Amino acid sequence: MKKLAMGIDIGGTNTAFGLVDEDGTVFCESVISTEKYKRFDDYEAYVKALCEAMHALIDSVSFEFNLIGIGIGAPNANYHTGMIETPANLWKFRDDEANPDETRRMFHFVDDIKTYFPGVDVAITNDANAAAIGEGVFGNAKGMKDYVVITLGTGLGSGIVSNGEMIYGHDGFAGEYGHIAVDSRTEGRECGCGRKGCLEAYASATGIKRTAFELMAKMNCESDLRDTPFSKFEAVMLSVAADKGDALAKEAFRFTGEFLGKALADLVATTSPEAIILFGGLAKAGKWIFEPTKWYMEENMLATFKNKVKLLPSGIEGKNAAILGSSALIWQSAIR
């Protein structure tokens, strides 16, 4: 009988899920709204709606199969405990500010899913770790034992694999590379975490948008980007502009690549990976982000590591990446 794993990706707007085989083929997929469940008191209704939708998807499959497990990727998910812990970016889970109670913000997500799927293995990790596992099972890190995945989306996440094992740390939250300090000045950029000077504030879709507007104030060159207000500006506009030769857009990528490349050189000195894989929306800029990042990485690399570490694009990006990555949490154990 064919074996399939369910992959679930929980985002702030939607939750996507699908059934995936060991070759990375997504047989079917569906989505429910995350945004609809805004309040803390909606949590149980959200879990119920998700599980009912998963059962409906399973029932829609025309052939018999064995569901070997459910893998979940979510912000602030803890692999060790199976919980989603104080997920500030999932606004549906935010508690009432007038009645803060941190203990009420520890969601036993794995156990809650298991009540609807008795006897099925369920595992959870954060979205960046899920992407890293997905690259190892289905993508460009297949066959590698030491590699790092950097997710360049609204923020910057990282998944670090050493000797074939994901590094979770003693509390399950290792790999927050987006929050290393790269700018120690008092006027360093404020990060969403509340600190100043974090890598995420410079090397992410949000960060490069901020860079573009700083450059608009500093540079005199003409640019179509100046016609777009901040509220409507999207990072992808920089790639389009750079392709047209826009000097401001090119400088935004160079500046971003400098921060990211230097940070990756430090990461290599700590982890000595075979490859670093860039994943996510900003990574889709291709050469505009890869070339400066690679240059600054090598320029600042300890001599021992120079020209040894590959900088690669994702091998699963655009192929139901989030669902594949989450399902790989199950497949990595099943394949061993």
Side-chain angles (χ1 to χ4, degrees):
M1 184 180 294
K2 192 168 187 62
K3 296 179 180 179
L4 298 178
M6 181 77 77
I8 305 172
D9 174 62
I10 301 177
T13 302
N14 292 309
T15 297
F17 51 96
L19 291 166
V20 184
D21 72 6
E22 62 183 323
D23 297 318
T25 300
V26 180
F27 281 84
C28 57
E29 59 186 296
S30 188
V31 65
I32 68 165
S33 172
T34 311
E35 197 172 33
K36 176 182 176 182
Y37 302 89
K38 300 178 181 180
R39 304 173 304 165
F40 171 83
D41 291 338
D42 289 332
Y43 171 71
E44 290 184 5
Y46 167 77
V47 173
K48 181 180 179 181
L50 174 59
C51 290
E52 288 178 347
M54 286 195 290
H55 275 295
L57 186 66
I58 290 169
D59 291 342
S60 72
V61 177
S62 59
F63 55 87
E64 291 188 12
F65 67 92
N66 179 22
L67 180 66
I68 66 165
I70 298 172
I72 306 160
N76 284 61
N78 190 319
Y79 176 80
H80 291 326
T81 66
M83 294 192 290
I84 297 177
E85 303 183 14
T86 59
N89 292 327
L90 287 181
W91 60 299
K92 72 180 192 319
F93 289 155
R94 286 182 182 168
D95 206 349
D96 183 355
E97 293 182 1
N99 183 31
D101 181 355
E102 289 300 314
T103 61
R104 293 179 63 206
R105 300 178 69 185
M106 309 287 278
F107 299 90
H108 295 264
F109 204 77
V110 166
D111 288 342
D112 293 336
I113 295 295
K114 283 183 175 180
T115 62
Y116 290 88
F117 290 88
V120 177
D121 288 336
V122 182
I124 194 169
T125 191
N126 73 42
D127 37 4
N129 287 344
I133 295 168
E135 290 291 344
V137 176
F138 301 121
N140 282 341
K142 195 170 185 177
M144 296 184 189
K145 287 190 174 182
D146 298 272
Y147 64 94
V148 177
V149 171
I150 301 292
T151 59
L152 299 172
T154 303
L156 187 153
S158 61
I160 302 171
V161 176
S162 179
N163 196 30
E165 299 289 341
M166 178 67 64
I167 295 178
Y168 287 108
H170 83 280
D171 61 353
F173 288 108
E176 289 291 347
Y177 206 66
H179 299 288
I180 63 166
V182 295
D183 188 348
S184 59
R185 301 173 302 160
T186 56
E187 64 270 28
R189 291 181 186 174
E190 290 186 2
C191 180
C193 73
R195 302 193 308 159
K196 287 186 176 181
C198 291
L199 178 60
E200 178 176 294
Y202 298 86
S204 64
T206 305
I208 199 171
K209 175 180 174 179
R210 295 167 75 173
T211 296
F213 278 79
E214 288 178 5
L215 291 175
M216 289 180 198
K218 293 179 179 179
M219 297 175 68
N220 289 323
C221 62
E222 293 184 4
S223 174
D224 292 341
L225 296 169
R226 297 181 186 274
D227 297 330
T228 306
F230 190 85
S231 61
K232 296 183 178 179
F233 196 97
E234 297 180 0
V236 68
M237 295 176 180
L238 288 161
S239 300
V240 175
D243 286 337
K244 295 178 180 179
D246 189 294
L248 191 150
K250 289 181 179 179
E251 175 58 16
F253 282 113
R254 187 211 62 78
F255 181 89
T256 303
E258 180 178 1
F259 272 94
L260 182 57
K262 288 179 178 179
L264 294 184
D266 290 341
L267 179 61
V268 167
T270 306
T271 63
S272 186
E274 180 178 346
I276 297 173
I277 295 171
L278 302 186
F279 179 102
L282 185 56
K284 294 179 182 178
K287 68 176 184 179
W288 300 117
I289 189 64
F290 273 85
E291 289 180 1
T293 299
K294 177 68 172 177
W295 192 90
Y296 282 103
M297 183 177 79
E298 294 296 347
E299 185 71 8
N300 291 277
M301 194 86 81
L302 189 66
T304 304
F305 301 107
K306 278 186 180 292
N307 300 308
K308 289 182 179 179
V309 182
K310 292 173 281 191
L311 188 66
L312 302 174
S314 168
I316 62 174
E317 190 74 75
K319 301 176 182 177
N320 310 89
I323 292 174
L324 281 176
S326 300
S327 73
L329 191 57
I330 300 299
W331 281 118
Q332 70 167 348
S333 298
I335 292 173
R336 287 176 181 172

Coordinates of all heavy atoms in Angstrom, one line a residue, residues 220-259:
N220 N 21.2 60.6 -5.8 CA 20.5 61.5 -6.7 C 20.0 60.9 -8.0 O 19.3 61.5 -8.7 CB 21.4 62.7 -7.0 CG 21.7 63.6 -5.8 OD1 20.7 63.8 -5.1 ND2 22.9 64.1 -5.7
C221 N 20.4 59.6 -8.2 CA 20.0 59.0 -9.5 C 18.5 58.9 -9.7 O 17.8 58.8 -8.8 CB 20.7 57.6 -9.6 SG 20.1 56.5 -8.3
E222 N 18.1 58.9 -11.0 CA 16.7 58.7 -11.3 C 16.4 57.2 -11.1 O 17.2 56.3 -11.3 CB 16.5 59.1 -12.8 CG 16.7 60.6 -13.0 CD 16.3 60.9 -14.5 OE1 15.9 60.0 -15.2 OE2 16.5 62.1 -14.9
S223 N 15.1 57.0 -10.6 CA 14.7 55.7 -10.4 C 13.1 55.7 -10.4 O 12.5 56.5 -9.7 CB 15.2 55.1 -9.1 OG 14.6 53.9 -8.8
D224 N 12.6 54.7 -11.1 CA 11.1 54.6 -11.1 C 10.6 54.2 -9.7 O 9.4 54.3 -9.4 CB 10.7 53.5 -12.2 CG 10.9 54.0 -13.6 OD1 11.0 55.2 -13.8 OD2 11.0 53.1 -14.5
L225 N 11.5 53.6 -8.9 CA 11.1 53.2 -7.6 C 10.6 54.3 -6.7 O 9.9 54.2 -5.8 CB 12.3 52.5 -6.9 CG 12.8 51.2 -7.6 CD1 14.1 50.7 -6.9 CD2 11.7 50.1 -7.4
R226 N 11.1 55.5 -7.0 CA 10.7 56.7 -6.3 C 9.2 57.1 -6.4 O 8.7 57.8 -5.5 CB 11.5 57.9 -6.7 CG 13.0 57.8 -6.5 CD 13.8 59.0 -7.0 NE 15.2 58.8 -6.9 CZ 16.0 59.1 -5.8 NH1 15.4 59.4 -4.7 NH2 17.3 58.9 -5.8
D227 N 8.6 56.5 -7.4 CA 7.2 56.8 -7.6 C 6.2 56.0 -6.7 O 5.0 56.2 -6.7 CB 6.8 56.6 -9.1 CG 7.5 57.6 -10.0 OD1 7.9 58.7 -9.5 OD2 7.8 57.2 -11.1
T228 N 6.8 55.0 -6.0 CA 6.0 54.1 -5.2 C 6.1 54.4 -3.7 O 7.2 54.5 -3.2 CB 6.4 52.6 -5.4 OG1 6.4 52.3 -6.8 CG2 5.5 51.7 -4.7
P229 N 4.9 54.7 -3.1 CA 5.0 55.0 -1.6 C 5.4 53.8 -0.8 O 5.2 52.7 -1.2 CB 3.5 55.5 -1.3 CG 2.7 54.8 -2.4 CD 3.6 54.8 -3.6
F230 N 5.9 54.0 0.4 CA 6.4 53.0 1.2 C 5.3 51.9 1.5 O 5.6 50.7 1.5 CB 6.9 53.5 2.6 CG 7.6 52.6 3.4 CD1 9.0 52.4 3.2 CD2 7.0 51.8 4.4 CE1 9.7 51.5 4.0 CE2 7.7 50.9 5.2 CZ 9.0 50.7 5.0
S231 N 4.1 52.3 1.7 CA 3.0 51.4 2.0 C 2.7 50.4 0.9 O 2.1 49.4 1.1 CB 1.7 52.2 2.4 OG 1.3 53.0 1.4
K232 N 3.0 50.8 -0.3 CA 2.7 49.9 -1.5 C 4.0 49.3 -2.1 O 3.9 48.6 -3.1 CB 2.0 50.7 -2.5 CG 0.6 51.2 -2.1 CD -0.1 52.0 -3.2 CE -1.5 52.4 -2.7 NZ -2.2 53.1 -3.8
F233 N 5.1 49.6 -1.5 CA 6.4 49.1 -2.0 C 6.6 47.6 -1.6 O 6.4 47.2 -0.5 CB 7.5 49.9 -1.4 CG 8.8 49.7 -2.2 CD1 9.2 50.7 -3.1 CD2 9.7 48.7 -1.9 CE1 10.4 50.5 -3.8 CE2 10.9 48.5 -2.6 CZ 11.2 49.5 -3.6
E234 N 7.0 46.8 -2.6 CA 7.3 45.4 -2.3 C 8.7 45.1 -2.8 O 9.2 45.6 -3.8 CB 6.3 44.5 -3.1 CG 4.8 44.7 -2.6 CD 3.9 43.7 -3.3 OE1 4.3 43.0 -4.2 OE2 2.7 43.8 -3.0
A235 N 9.3 44.1 -2.1 CA 10.7 43.8 -2.4 C 10.9 43.4 -3.8 O 12.0 43.6 -4.4 CB 11.3 42.8 -1.4
V236 N 9.9 42.7 -4.4 CA 10.1 42.1 -5.7 C 10.3 43.3 -6.8 O 10.9 43.1 -7.8 CB 8.9 41.3 -6.1 CG1 7.6 42.1 -6.2 CG2 9.1 40.5 -7.4
M237 N 9.8 44.5 -6.4 CA 10.0 45.6 -7.4 C 11.5 45.9 -7.6 O 11.8 46.4 -8.7 CB 9.3 46.8 -6.8 CG 7.8 46.7 -6.7 SD 7.1 48.2 -5.9 CE 5.3 47.8 -5.9
L238 N 12.3 45.6 -6.6 CA 13.7 45.9 -6.7 C 14.4 44.9 -7.8 O 15.2 45.4 -8.5 CB 14.4 45.7 -5.4 CG 14.1 46.8 -4.4 CD1 14.4 46.4 -3.0 CD2 14.9 48.1 -4.7
S239 N 13.9 43.7 -7.8 CA 14.4 42.8 -8.8 C 14.1 43.2 -10.2 O 14.9 43.2 -11.2 CB 13.9 41.4 -8.6 OG 14.2 40.9 -7.3
V240 N 12.8 43.6 -10.4 CA 12.4 44.1 -11.7 C 13.2 45.3 -12.1 O 13.6 45.5 -13.3 CB 10.8 44.4 -11.7 CG1 10.4 45.1 -13.0 CG2 10.0 43.2 -11.4
A241 N 13.4 46.3 -11.2 CA 14.1 47.5 -11.5 C 15.6 47.2 -11.8 O 16.2 47.8 -12.7 CB 14.0 48.5 -10.3
A242 N 16.2 46.3 -11.0 CA 17.6 45.9 -11.3 C 17.8 45.3 -12.6 O 18.8 45.6 -13.3 CB 18.1 44.9 -10.2
D243 N 16.8 44.5 -13.1 CA 16.9 43.9 -14.4 C 16.9 45.0 -15.5 O 17.4 44.7 -16.6 CB 15.7 43.0 -14.6 CG 15.8 41.6 -13.9 OD1 17.0 41.3 -13.5 OD2 14.8 41.0 -13.6
K244 N 16.3 46.1 -15.2 CA 16.2 47.2 -16.1 C 17.4 48.2 -16.0 O 17.5 49.2 -16.7 CB 14.9 48.0 -15.9 CG 13.7 47.2 -16.3 CD 12.4 48.0 -16.0 CE 11.2 47.2 -16.3 NZ 9.9 48.0 -16.0
G245 N 18.4 47.8 -15.1 CA 19.6 48.6 -14.9 C 19.5 49.7 -13.9 O 20.3 50.6 -13.9
D246 N 18.4 49.7 -13.1 CA 18.2 50.8 -12.1 C 19.4 50.7 -11.1 O 19.6 49.8 -10.4 CB 16.9 50.5 -11.4 CG 16.5 51.7 -10.5 OD1 17.2 51.9 -9.5 OD2 15.5 52.3 -10.8
A247 N 20.1 51.9 -11.0 CA 21.3 51.9 -10.1 C 20.9 51.9 -8.6 O 21.6 51.3 -7.8 CB 22.0 53.2 -10.4
L248 N 19.8 52.4 -8.3 CA 19.3 52.4 -6.9 C 19.0 51.0 -6.4 O 19.4 50.6 -5.3 CB 18.1 53.3 -6.7 CG 17.7 53.7 -5.3 CD1 17.1 55.0 -5.2 CD2 16.7 52.6 -4.7
A249 N 18.3 50.2 -7.3 CA 18.0 48.9 -7.0 C 19.2 48.0 -6.8 O 19.4 47.2 -5.9 CB 17.1 48.3 -8.0
K250 N 20.2 48.2 -7.8 CA 21.4 47.4 -7.7 C 22.2 47.7 -6.4 O 22.7 46.8 -5.8 CB 22.3 47.8 -8.9 CG 21.8 47.2 -10.2 CD 22.7 47.6 -11.4 CE 22.3 47.1 -12.7 NZ 23.2 47.4 -13.8
E251 N 22.2 49.0 -6.0 CA 22.9 49.3 -4.8 C 22.2 48.7 -3.6 O 22.8 48.3 -2.6 CB 23.0 50.8 -4.6 CG 23.6 51.3 -3.3 CD 25.0 50.8 -3.0 OE1 25.7 50.3 -4.0 OE2 25.5 50.9 -1.8
A252 N 20.9 48.6 -3.6 CA 20.1 48.0 -2.5 C 20.5 46.6 -2.3 O 20.7 46.1 -1.2 CB 18.6 48.2 -2.7
F253 N 20.7 45.9 -3.4 CA 21.1 44.5 -3.4 C 22.5 44.3 -2.9 O 22.9 43.4 -2.1 CB 20.9 43.8 -4.7 CG 19.5 43.4 -5.0 CD1 18.8 44.0 -6.0 CD2 18.9 42.4 -4.3 CE1 17.5 43.6 -6.3 CE2 17.5 42.0 -4.5 CZ 16.8 42.7 -5.5
R254 N 23.4 45.2 -3.4 CA 24.8 45.2 -2.9 C 24.9 45.4 -1.4 O 25.6 44.7 -0.7 CB 25.6 46.2 -3.7 CG 27.1 46.1 -3.4 CD 27.9 47.4 -3.4 NE 27.4 48.4 -2.4 CZ 27.7 48.3 -1.1 NH1 28.5 47.4 -0.6 NH2 27.2 49.2 -0.3
F255 N 24.2 46.4 -0.9 CA 24.2 46.7 0.5 C 23.7 45.5 1.3 O 24.2 45.1 2.3 CB 23.3 47.9 0.7 CG 23.2 48.4 2.2 CD1 24.1 49.3 2.7 CD2 22.2 47.9 3.0 CE1 24.1 49.7 4.0 CE2 22.1 48.4 4.3 CZ 23.1 49.3 4.8
T256 N 22.6 44.9 0.8 CA 22.0 43.8 1.5 C 22.9 42.6 1.5 O 23.1 41.9 2.5 CB 20.7 43.4 0.9 OG1 19.8 44.5 0.9 CG2 20.0 42.2 1.6
G257 N 23.5 42.4 0.3 CA 24.5 41.3 0.2 C 25.7 41.4 1.1 O 26.3 40.4 1.6
E258 N 26.1 42.7 1.3 CA 27.3 42.9 2.2 C 26.9 42.5 3.6 O 27.8 41.8 4.3 CB 27.6 44.4 2.2 CG 28.8 44.7 3.1 CD 29.2 46.2 3.1 OE1 28.5 47.0 2.3 OE2 30.2 46.6 3.8
F259 N 25.8 42.9 4.2 CA 25.4 42.4 5.5 C 25.3 40.9 5.6 O 25.8 40.3 6.5 CB 24.1 43.1 5.9 CG 24.3 44.5 6.6 CD1 24.3 45.6 5.8 CD2 24.6 44.6 7.9 CE1 24.5 46.9 6.4 CE2 24.8 45.8 8.6 CZ 24.8 46.9 7.8

